[in-house]
Amino acid sequence: MSKLVIEGGRRLSGVIHIHGAKNSALPILAAAYLAQGPCEIENCPLLSDVQAAGKILQHLGCTVEREEHTMRVDASEASGFTVPDGLMREMRSSIVFLGAIAARTGKAELSFPGGCELGPRPIDQHLSALRQLGLQICEEGGRLECRVKGRLTGCPISLSFPSVGATENILLAAVTARGTTTIINAAREPEIVDLCDFLCACGAHIRGAGEGTIVIDGVERLHGCRHRVIPDRIETATYMGAAAITGGSLLLKQVKSEHVQAIIPVFEEAGCQVAVWGDELLISAPGRLRRVHTVRTLPYPGFPTDAQALMMAPMCVADGTSVFIETIFESRYKHVCELMRMGAQIKVEGRVAVVEGVAELFGAPVECTDLRGGAALVLAALAANGTTEITQLHHLERGYEAMAQTFCGVGAAAYLQE
Ligand code: EPZ
């Protein structure tokens, strides 16, 4: 089993290029199944989740080619409608294929994605919305068997919570439905806007992407297109966290600073200086960080749940006590026990975590508990006194391309050991 070994205590400095957003690339790959022609998707990160999405497309009958960060998907001849359990389990977000498969073939058979390391992840809003569009869904033995007579039919759909995945599934199902679909209380994340931009480039008619109400006028068919995936805002936040916790200075390139507007002020509150121009962001950290008052995770444009652990790691060594309130996921503090092994002082009570900054963390053997929690451990290790060995790296491989090499390039002592 491979592990990441990090000798901590080095100040990071240099330039990092941000990759394409995983959480954009995945629904866009699902959307490529709707196109009756070749799609060229640029800036796709080299990640295990993206590879899993490619495998699902191939299983459905698509031609999938990859050249560095460009994926070419041709669904012209594809007609598959089943996704085997093994492929569904490779990544939780495989559920986003449901809307695309049902819209393309009028039927879909796949397994329930189940829970995950962030706690139960219900898909009730996905299923209720797709039923409203006319999809008959039978849930039996952990499988979802779905059929539609003729075409799906557009209608107004209100979400009780602006779920990212449910909004994506509705978009995928509605773009070729008969008539107009209106999503009320839609998710406003940049990845939703990117998906809509891709679909519109394929010929879809969508208004209001990035707003609380999205209107989709169904079209007969979609064609192929070329699209470039937006930069990953959570990878951006991760490297900002690395600069902050090591008292370093990093110039991040290929950044969309408007997508990290809720994150920048929190790093500034901690004493970091952040400068933005064009697609570059420079973050410089002081010798000792200040505590931040309260970080409350919220749907976009609020502070992202995916950046909660990434901000918590620097606060472990800040001067003073910081409070985190996780409002999105039920169980997103699994990294806390591992941070405490490294000397962090954290108390968790339900959805609230209180972090009392300590003078220093020390190296220890720790395990990644989930993708962003694992990244938080890497940040802590970069600042810790001594050597940290991090295992369960498959979590990190889902969301970070070449993380160890990237950190070595800016002055960290990190290497992978088999
Ligand atoms: C997306 O997950 C992201 N994943 C997550 O990123 C991210 O944390 C999350 O959005 C919130 O921003 C991808 O884009 C692939 P949700 P998703 O539906 O779509 C509840 C990462 O680290 N809910 O907005 O699953 C749900 O249980 C990952 O990159 C229902 O109750 O998020 C959760 O508490 C992790 N019923 C909340 O809503 C539903 O039908 C937010 O979920 C759907 C969701």
Side-chain angles (χ1 to χ4, degrees), residues 7-283:
E7 311 276 349
R10 296 175 185 224
R11 195 181 158 272
L12 301 188
S13 153
V15 177
I16 292 177
H17 290 83
I18 299 300
H19 294 98
K22 163 181 84 81
N23 291 345
S24 265
L26 297 176
I28 287 174
L29 285 168
Y33 191 50
L34 292 170
Q36 313 264 1
C39 295
E40 191 165 285
I41 304 158
E42 298 168 0
N43 209 24
C44 276
L46 292 164
L47 301 170
S48 56
D49 268 10
V50 172
Q51 212 179 342
K55 280 197 241 169
I56 293 177
L57 286 168
Q58 278 172 328
H59 178 85
L60 293 169
C62 303
T63 309
V64 181
E65 287 168 14
R66 161 149 230 157
E67 199 184 317
E68 307 264 315
H69 291 94
T70 298
M71 283 183 83
R72 291 187 190 88
V73 180
D74 191 346
S76 313
E77 306 295 323
S79 57
F81 61 94
T82 62
V83 183
D85 192 47
L87 282 179
M88 283 301 287
R89 283 179 189 275
E90 273 194 40
M91 61 165 184
R92 139 92 202 180
S93 50
S94 47
I95 191 63
V96 82
F97 275 88
L98 175 54
I101 297 173
R104 172 76 190 246
T105 68
K107 52 196 169 187
E109 288 178 17
L110 34 83
S111 54
F112 223 82
C116 81
E117 58 278 358
L118 306 182
R121 305 228 355 222
I123 52 164
D124 52 318
Q125 294 214 58
H126 301 235
L127 301 186
S128 152
L130 293 172
R131 283 187 170 114
Q132 290 174 63
L133 291 169
L135 191 65
Q136 293 170 1
I137 305 175
C138 174
E139 302 171 49
E140 217 174 80
R143 296 280 295 171
L144 294 165
E145 305 232 337
C146 314
R147 294 283 181 277
V148 58
K149 284 203 189 102
R151 253 167 98 186
L152 294 166
T153 305
C155 65
I157 298 172
S158 282
L159 294 176
S160 56
F161 176 88
S163 156
V164 174
T167 302
E168 290 166 349
N169 247 331
I170 299 168
L171 282 162
L172 294 173
V175 280
T176 55
R178 199 183 315 121
T180 298
T181 302
T182 306
I183 313 176
I184 300 141
N185 200 21
R188 298 166 60 189
E189 271 69 1
E191 294 77 18
I192 298 286
V193 179
D194 204 21
L195 172 62
C196 291
D197 286 346
F198 172 83
L199 288 165
C200 289
C202 291
H205 291 173
I206 304 172
R207 301 188 299 280
E211 295 166 23
T213 300
I214 301 180
V215 181
I216 307 133
D217 292 319
V219 295
E220 285 288 328
R221 50 191 276 138
L222 297 185
H223 50 74
C225 76
R226 178 184 290 176
H227 180 82
R228 187 172 175 81
V229 171
I230 56 168
D232 196 315
R233 63 196 168 100
I234 306 302
E235 191 190 31
T236 305
T238 306
Y239 293 123
M240 290 175 78
I245 200 167
T246 62
S249 175
L250 292 175
L251 176 62
L252 307 182
K253 293 198 169 196
Q254 288 153 29
V255 167
K256 261 232 179 290
S257 61
E258 57 268 42
H259 295 169
V260 286
Q261 281 310 312
I263 295 172
I264 292 173
V266 185
F267 280 103
E268 286 174 335
E269 188 186 346
C272 297
Q273 287 189 340
V274 181
V276 167
W277 61 97
D279 64 354
E280 297 185 351
L281 182 152
L282 175 67
I283 177 164

